[in-house]
PDB file of all heavy atoms in Angstrom:
ATOM      1  N   TYR I 515     -21.159 -27.161 -25.227  1.00  0.00           N
ATOM      2  CA  TYR I 515     -21.108 -28.058 -26.424  1.00  0.00           C
ATOM      3  C   TYR I 515     -21.951 -27.367 -27.501  1.00  0.00           C
ATOM      4  O   TYR I 515     -21.504 -27.458 -28.725  1.00  0.00           O
ATOM      5  CB  TYR I 515     -21.749 -29.363 -26.017  1.00  0.00           C
ATOM      6  CG  TYR I 515     -21.708 -30.420 -27.178  1.00  0.00           C
ATOM      7  CD1 TYR I 515     -20.620 -31.219 -27.317  1.00  0.00           C
ATOM      8  CD2 TYR I 515     -22.690 -30.628 -27.974  1.00  0.00           C
ATOM      9  CE1 TYR I 515     -20.461 -32.124 -28.359  1.00  0.00           C
ATOM     10  CE2 TYR I 515     -22.673 -31.546 -29.076  1.00  0.00           C
ATOM     11  CZ  TYR I 515     -21.527 -32.291 -29.207  1.00  0.00           C
ATOM     12  OH  TYR I 515     -21.399 -33.278 -30.276  1.00  0.00           O
ATOM     13  N   LYS I 516     -23.065 -26.845 -27.246  1.00  0.00           N
ATOM     14  CA  LYS I 516     -23.868 -26.150 -28.245  1.00  0.00           C
ATOM     15  C   LYS I 516     -23.109 -25.016 -28.869  1.00  0.00           C
ATOM     16  O   LYS I 516     -23.190 -24.805 -30.179  1.00  0.00           O
ATOM     17  CB  LYS I 516     -25.121 -25.673 -27.726  1.00  0.00           C
ATOM     18  CG  LYS I 516     -26.211 -26.768 -27.359  1.00  0.00           C
ATOM     19  CD  LYS I 516     -27.603 -26.189 -27.172  1.00  0.00           C
ATOM     20  CE  LYS I 516     -27.770 -25.564 -25.846  1.00  0.00           C
ATOM     21  NZ  LYS I 516     -29.165 -25.170 -25.671  1.00  0.00           N
ATOM     22  N   LYS I 517     -22.404 -24.247 -28.115  1.00  0.00           N
ATOM     23  CA  LYS I 517     -21.556 -23.231 -28.724  1.00  0.00           C
ATOM     24  C   LYS I 517     -20.498 -23.642 -29.621  1.00  0.00           C
ATOM     25  O   LYS I 517     -20.233 -23.109 -30.673  1.00  0.00           O
ATOM     26  CB  LYS I 517     -20.959 -22.363 -27.475  1.00  0.00           C
ATOM     27  CG  LYS I 517     -21.980 -21.580 -26.716  1.00  0.00           C
ATOM     28  CD  LYS I 517     -21.306 -20.825 -25.526  1.00  0.00           C
ATOM     29  CE  LYS I 517     -22.306 -20.190 -24.598  1.00  0.00           C
ATOM     30  NZ  LYS I 517     -21.674 -19.539 -23.397  1.00  0.00           N
ATOM     31  N   GLU I 518     -19.882 -24.753 -29.149  1.00  0.00           N
ATOM     32  CA  GLU I 518     -18.749 -25.314 -29.961  1.00  0.00           C
ATOM     33  C   GLU I 518     -19.070 -26.067 -31.160  1.00  0.00           C
ATOM     34  O   GLU I 518     -18.604 -25.895 -32.235  1.00  0.00           O
ATOM     35  CB  GLU I 518     -17.799 -26.178 -29.091  1.00  0.00           C
ATOM     36  CG  GLU I 518     -17.188 -25.431 -27.885  1.00  0.00           C
ATOM     37  CD  GLU I 518     -16.548 -26.399 -26.835  1.00  0.00           C
ATOM     38  OE1 GLU I 518     -16.514 -27.552 -27.064  1.00  0.00           O
ATOM     39  OE2 GLU I 518     -16.060 -25.936 -25.803  1.00  0.00           O
ATOM     40  N   GLN I 519     -20.168 -26.957 -31.012  1.00  0.00           N
ATOM     41  CA  GLN I 519     -20.468 -27.823 -32.052  1.00  0.00           C
ATOM     42  C   GLN I 519     -21.652 -27.295 -32.985  1.00  0.00           C
ATOM     43  O   GLN I 519     -21.611 -27.708 -34.171  1.00  0.00           O
ATOM     44  CB  GLN I 519     -20.993 -29.196 -31.516  1.00  0.00           C
ATOM     45  CG  GLN I 519     -19.884 -29.886 -30.711  1.00  0.00           C
ATOM     46  CD  GLN I 519     -18.587 -30.192 -31.472  1.00  0.00           C
ATOM     47  OE1 GLN I 519     -18.687 -30.557 -32.604  1.00  0.00           O
ATOM     48  NE2 GLN I 519     -17.449 -29.954 -30.801  1.00  0.00           N
ATOM     49  N   TYR I 520     -22.463 -26.422 -32.403  1.00  0.00           N
ATOM     50  CA  TYR I 520     -23.524 -25.836 -33.285  1.00  0.00           C
ATOM     51  C   TYR I 520     -23.401 -24.340 -33.549  1.00  0.00           C
ATOM     52  O   TYR I 520     -24.220 -23.863 -34.241  1.00  0.00           O
ATOM     53  CB  TYR I 520     -24.843 -26.161 -32.547  1.00  0.00           C
ATOM     54  CG  TYR I 520     -25.234 -27.597 -32.474  1.00  0.00           C
ATOM     55  CD1 TYR I 520     -24.781 -28.391 -31.408  1.00  0.00           C
ATOM     56  CD2 TYR I 520     -26.026 -28.176 -33.474  1.00  0.00           C
ATOM     57  CE1 TYR I 520     -25.169 -29.715 -31.300  1.00  0.00           C
ATOM     58  CE2 TYR I 520     -26.400 -29.578 -33.347  1.00  0.00           C
ATOM     59  CZ  TYR I 520     -25.923 -30.338 -32.299  1.00  0.00           C
ATOM     60  OH  TYR I 520     -26.269 -31.590 -32.201  1.00  0.00           O
ATOM     61  N   ALA I 521     -22.340 -23.844 -33.008  1.00  0.00           N
ATOM     62  CA  ALA I 521     -22.181 -22.350 -33.096  1.00  0.00           C
ATOM     63  C   ALA I 521     -23.419 -21.538 -32.673  1.00  0.00           C
ATOM     64  O   ALA I 521     -23.785 -20.592 -33.254  1.00  0.00           O
ATOM     65  CB  ALA I 521     -21.848 -21.942 -34.633  1.00  0.00           C
ATOM     66  N   LEU I 522     -23.995 -22.108 -31.639  1.00  0.00           N
ATOM     67  CA  LEU I 522     -25.175 -21.441 -31.037  1.00  0.00           C
ATOM     68  C   LEU I 522     -24.865 -21.057 -29.577  1.00  0.00           C
ATOM     69  O   LEU I 522     -24.593 -21.887 -28.724  1.00  0.00           O
ATOM     70  CB  LEU I 522     -26.344 -22.435 -31.038  1.00  0.00           C
ATOM     71  CG  LEU I 522     -27.029 -22.718 -32.413  1.00  0.00           C
ATOM     72  CD1 LEU I 522     -28.092 -23.697 -32.323  1.00  0.00           C
ATOM     73  CD2 LEU I 522     -27.528 -21.466 -33.045  1.00  0.00           C
ATOM     74  N   ASP I 523     -25.120 -19.766 -29.331  1.00  0.00           N
ATOM     75  CA  ASP I 523     -24.967 -19.141 -28.019  1.00  0.00           C
ATOM     76  C   ASP I 523     -26.374 -18.651 -27.620  1.00  0.00           C
ATOM     77  O   ASP I 523     -26.822 -17.643 -28.126  1.00  0.00           O
ATOM     78  CB  ASP I 523     -23.958 -18.063 -27.962  1.00  0.00           C
ATOM     79  CG  ASP I 523     -23.710 -17.476 -26.571  1.00  0.00           C
ATOM     80  OD1 ASP I 523     -24.583 -17.670 -25.805  1.00  0.00           O
ATOM     81  OD2 ASP I 523     -22.548 -16.954 -26.361  1.00  0.00           O
ATOM     82  N   GLU I 524     -27.024 -19.336 -26.706  1.00  0.00           N
ATOM     83  CA  GLU I 524     -28.417 -19.030 -26.430  1.00  0.00           C
ATOM     84  C   GLU I 524     -28.496 -17.548 -25.940  1.00  0.00           C
ATOM     85  O   GLU I 524     -29.511 -16.872 -26.162  1.00  0.00           O
ATOM     86  CB  GLU I 524     -28.998 -19.910 -25.346  1.00  0.00           C
ATOM     87  CG  GLU I 524     -29.105 -21.372 -25.835  1.00  0.00           C
ATOM     88  CD  GLU I 524     -30.175 -21.623 -26.860  1.00  0.00           C
ATOM     89  OE1 GLU I 524     -30.989 -20.609 -27.088  1.00  0.00           O
ATOM     90  OE2 GLU I 524     -30.328 -22.692 -27.341  1.00  0.00           O
ATOM     91  N   THR I 525     -27.493 -17.080 -25.273  1.00  0.00           N
ATOM     92  CA  THR I 525     -27.426 -15.626 -24.715  1.00  0.00           C
ATOM     93  C   THR I 525     -27.520 -14.652 -25.949  1.00  0.00           C
ATOM     94  O   THR I 525     -28.324 -13.659 -25.959  1.00  0.00           O
ATOM     95  CB  THR I 525     -26.362 -15.401 -23.883  1.00  0.00           C
ATOM     96  OG1 THR I 525     -26.272 -16.189 -22.808  1.00  0.00           O
ATOM     97  CG2 THR I 525     -26.324 -13.887 -23.368  1.00  0.00           C
ATOM     98  N   LYS I 526     -26.645 -14.946 -27.021  1.00  0.00           N
ATOM     99  CA  LYS I 526     -26.625 -14.120 -28.154  1.00  0.00           C
ATOM    100  C   LYS I 526     -27.944 -14.238 -29.002  1.00  0.00           C
ATOM    101  O   LYS I 526     -28.364 -13.367 -29.682  1.00  0.00           O
ATOM    102  CB  LYS I 526     -25.370 -14.383 -28.910  1.00  0.00           C
ATOM    103  CG  LYS I 526     -24.092 -13.990 -28.216  1.00  0.00           C
ATOM    104  CD  LYS I 526     -22.821 -14.238 -29.058  1.00  0.00           C
ATOM    105  CE  LYS I 526     -21.604 -13.767 -28.387  1.00  0.00           C
ATOM    106  NZ  LYS I 526     -20.396 -14.153 -29.036  1.00  0.00           N
ATOM    107  N   LEU I 527     -28.448 -15.537 -29.039  1.00  0.00           N
ATOM    108  CA  LEU I 527     -29.664 -15.686 -29.813  1.00  0.00           C
ATOM    109  C   LEU I 527     -30.768 -14.801 -29.262  1.00  0.00           C
ATOM    110  O   LEU I 527     -31.724 -14.552 -30.055  1.00  0.00           O
ATOM    111  CB  LEU I 527     -30.139 -17.239 -29.754  1.00  0.00           C
ATOM    112  CG  LEU I 527     -29.352 -18.206 -30.705  1.00  0.00           C
ATOM    113  CD1 LEU I 527     -29.943 -19.522 -30.514  1.00  0.00           C
ATOM    114  CD2 LEU I 527     -29.530 -17.753 -32.208  1.00  0.00           C
ATOM    115  N   SER I 528     -30.758 -14.522 -27.954  1.00  0.00           N
ATOM    116  CA  SER I 528     -31.924 -13.687 -27.419  1.00  0.00           C
ATOM    117  C   SER I 528     -31.945 -12.347 -28.088  1.00  0.00           C
ATOM    118  O   SER I 528     -32.989 -11.710 -28.022  1.00  0.00           O
ATOM    119  CB  SER I 528     -31.649 -13.484 -25.955  1.00  0.00           C
ATOM    120  OG  SER I 528     -30.490 -12.807 -25.673  1.00  0.00           O
ATOM    121  N   ASP I 529     -30.838 -11.876 -28.902  1.00  0.00           N
ATOM    122  CA  ASP I 529     -30.877 -10.560 -29.543  1.00  0.00           C
ATOM    123  C   ASP I 529     -32.006 -10.592 -30.632  1.00  0.00           C
ATOM    124  O   ASP I 529     -32.456  -9.509 -31.024  1.00  0.00           O
ATOM    125  CB  ASP I 529     -29.594 -10.308 -30.158  1.00  0.00           C
ATOM    126  CG  ASP I 529     -28.477  -9.927 -29.181  1.00  0.00           C
ATOM    127  OD1 ASP I 529     -28.802  -9.762 -28.042  1.00  0.00           O
ATOM    128  OD2 ASP I 529     -27.242  -9.882 -29.517  1.00  0.00           O
ATOM    129  N   TYR I 530     -32.325 -11.883 -31.056  1.00  0.00           N
ATOM    130  CA  TYR I 530     -33.426 -12.003 -31.996  1.00  0.00           C
ATOM    131  C   TYR I 530     -34.785 -12.039 -31.496  1.00  0.00           C
ATOM    132  O   TYR I 530     -35.751 -12.242 -32.257  1.00  0.00           O
ATOM    133  CB  TYR I 530     -33.098 -13.220 -32.917  1.00  0.00           C
ATOM    134  CG  TYR I 530     -31.892 -13.000 -33.882  1.00  0.00           C
ATOM    135  CD1 TYR I 530     -30.616 -13.213 -33.520  1.00  0.00           C
ATOM    136  CD2 TYR I 530     -32.190 -12.455 -35.165  1.00  0.00           C
ATOM    137  CE1 TYR I 530     -29.586 -13.023 -34.480  1.00  0.00           C
ATOM    138  CE2 TYR I 530     -31.154 -12.276 -36.053  1.00  0.00           C
ATOM    139  CZ  TYR I 530     -29.787 -12.534 -35.718  1.00  0.00           C
ATOM    140  OH  TYR I 530     -28.745 -12.385 -36.487  1.00  0.00           O
ATOM    141  N   PHE I 531     -34.879 -12.021 -30.156  1.00  0.00           N
ATOM    142  CA  PHE I 531     -36.195 -12.211 -29.523  1.00  0.00           C
ATOM    143  C   PHE I 531     -36.499 -11.041 -28.576  1.00  0.00           C
ATOM    144  O   PHE I 531     -36.720 -11.299 -27.373  1.00  0.00           O
ATOM    145  CB  PHE I 531     -36.280 -13.594 -28.798  1.00  0.00           C
ATOM    146  CG  PHE I 531     -36.028 -14.760 -29.727  1.00  0.00           C
ATOM    147  CD1 PHE I 531     -34.872 -15.559 -29.600  1.00  0.00           C
ATOM    148  CD2 PHE I 531     -36.988 -15.049 -30.720  1.00  0.00           C
ATOM    149  CE1 PHE I 531     -34.768 -16.686 -30.454  1.00  0.00           C
ATOM    150  CE2 PHE I 531     -36.862 -16.133 -31.515  1.00  0.00           C
ATOM    151  CZ  PHE I 531     -35.679 -16.962 -31.482  1.00  0.00           C
ATOM    152  N   PRO I 532     -36.641  -9.841 -29.065  1.00  0.00           N
ATOM    153  CA  PRO I 532     -37.039  -8.738 -28.231  1.00  0.00           C
ATOM    154  C   PRO I 532     -38.500  -9.022 -27.805  1.00  0.00           C
ATOM    155  O   PRO I 532     -39.383  -9.486 -28.674  1.00  0.00           O
ATOM    156  CB  PRO I 532     -36.962  -7.476 -29.152  1.00  0.00           C
ATOM    157  CG  PRO I 532     -36.977  -8.005 -30.535  1.00  0.00           C
ATOM    158  CD  PRO I 532     -36.342  -9.362 -30.482  1.00  0.00           C
ATOM    159  N   MET I 533     -38.739  -8.867 -26.557  1.00  0.00           N
ATOM    160  CA  MET I 533     -40.021  -9.430 -26.018  1.00  0.00           C
ATOM    161  C   MET I 533     -41.347  -8.974 -26.768  1.00  0.00           C
ATOM    162  O   MET I 533     -42.123  -9.791 -27.178  1.00  0.00           O
ATOM    163  CB  MET I 533     -40.153  -9.089 -24.555  1.00  0.00           C
ATOM    164  CG  MET I 533     -41.265  -9.931 -23.883  1.00  0.00           C
ATOM    165  SD  MET I 533     -41.410  -9.762 -22.124  1.00  0.00           S
ATOM    166  CE  MET I 533     -42.216  -8.152 -21.994  1.00  0.00           C
ATOM    167  N   GLU I 534     -41.393  -7.659 -26.889  1.00  0.00           N
ATOM    168  CA  GLU I 534     -42.654  -7.111 -27.487  1.00  0.00           C
ATOM    169  C   GLU I 534     -42.881  -7.694 -28.872  1.00  0.00           C
ATOM    170  O   GLU I 534     -43.977  -8.154 -29.280  1.00  0.00           O
ATOM    171  CB  GLU I 534     -42.676  -5.582 -27.459  1.00  0.00           C
ATOM    172  CG  GLU I 534     -42.805  -4.987 -26.126  1.00  0.00           C
ATOM    173  CD  GLU I 534     -43.138  -3.609 -26.063  1.00  0.00           C
ATOM    174  OE1 GLU I 534     -43.450  -3.029 -27.133  1.00  0.00           O
ATOM    175  OE2 GLU I 534     -42.904  -2.944 -25.024  1.00  0.00           O
ATOM    176  N   LYS I 535     -41.863  -7.628 -29.740  1.00  0.00           N
ATOM    177  CA  LYS I 535     -41.959  -8.107 -31.167  1.00  0.00           C
ATOM    178  C   LYS I 535     -42.246  -9.647 -31.171  1.00  0.00           C
ATOM    179  O   LYS I 535     -42.989 -10.135 -32.044  1.00  0.00           O
ATOM    180  CB  LYS I 535     -40.789  -7.674 -31.961  1.00  0.00           C
ATOM    181  CG  LYS I 535     -40.814  -6.120 -32.208  1.00  0.00           C
ATOM    182  CD  LYS I 535     -39.665  -5.882 -33.259  1.00  0.00           C
ATOM    183  CE  LYS I 535     -39.703  -4.334 -33.589  1.00  0.00           C
ATOM    184  NZ  LYS I 535     -38.622  -3.947 -34.575  1.00  0.00           N
ATOM    185  N   THR I 536     -41.478 -10.364 -30.303  1.00  0.00           N
ATOM    186  CA  THR I 536     -41.555 -11.807 -30.401  1.00  0.00           C
ATOM    187  C   THR I 536     -42.988 -12.243 -29.860  1.00  0.00           C
ATOM    188  O   THR I 536     -43.543 -13.046 -30.533  1.00  0.00           O
ATOM    189  CB  THR I 536     -40.594 -12.461 -29.487  1.00  0.00           C
ATOM    190  OG1 THR I 536     -39.260 -12.129 -29.999  1.00  0.00           O
ATOM    191  CG2 THR I 536     -40.736 -13.921 -29.350  1.00  0.00           C
ATOM    192  N   ILE I 537     -43.484 -11.603 -28.810  1.00  0.00           N
ATOM    193  CA  ILE I 537     -44.832 -11.932 -28.414  1.00  0.00           C
ATOM    194  C   ILE I 537     -45.904 -11.546 -29.476  1.00  0.00           C
ATOM    195  O   ILE I 537     -46.872 -12.379 -29.620  1.00  0.00           O
ATOM    196  CB  ILE I 537     -45.105 -11.260 -27.031  1.00  0.00           C
ATOM    197  CG1 ILE I 537     -44.392 -11.928 -25.883  1.00  0.00           C
ATOM    198  CG2 ILE I 537     -46.615 -11.282 -26.706  1.00  0.00           C
ATOM    199  CD1 ILE I 537     -44.502 -11.310 -24.522  1.00  0.00           C
ATOM    200  N   GLN I 538     -45.684 -10.470 -30.082  1.00  0.00           N
ATOM    201  CA  GLN I 538     -46.612 -10.148 -31.199  1.00  0.00           C
ATOM    202  C   GLN I 538     -46.619 -11.131 -32.302  1.00  0.00           C
ATOM    203  O   GLN I 538     -47.587 -11.545 -32.870  1.00  0.00           O
ATOM    204  CB  GLN I 538     -46.331  -8.739 -31.682  1.00  0.00           C
ATOM    205  CG  GLN I 538     -47.284  -8.219 -32.727  1.00  0.00           C
ATOM    206  CD  GLN I 538     -48.719  -8.198 -32.213  1.00  0.00           C
ATOM    207  OE1 GLN I 538     -49.022  -7.660 -31.153  1.00  0.00           O
ATOM    208  NE2 GLN I 538     -49.656  -8.912 -32.953  1.00  0.00           N
ATOM    209  N   GLY I 539     -45.358 -11.614 -32.526  1.00  0.00           N
ATOM    210  CA  GLY I 539     -45.205 -12.668 -33.592  1.00  0.00           C
ATOM    211  C   GLY I 539     -45.908 -13.958 -33.174  1.00  0.00           C
ATOM    212  O   GLY I 539     -46.614 -14.648 -33.945  1.00  0.00           O
TER     213      GLY I 539
END
Side-chain angles (χ1 to χ4, degrees):
Y515 186 86
K516 282 196 286 186
K517 291 175 185 177
E518 294 169 5
Q519 301 299 321
Y520 293 88
L522 286 177
D523 184 333
E524 295 288 355
T525 301
K526 292 180 180 177
L527 279 182
S528 66
D529 289 351
Y530 285 90
F531 299 112
M533 191 173 80
E534 288 193 16
K535 288 187 177 181
T536 297
I537 286 178
Q538 185 57 55

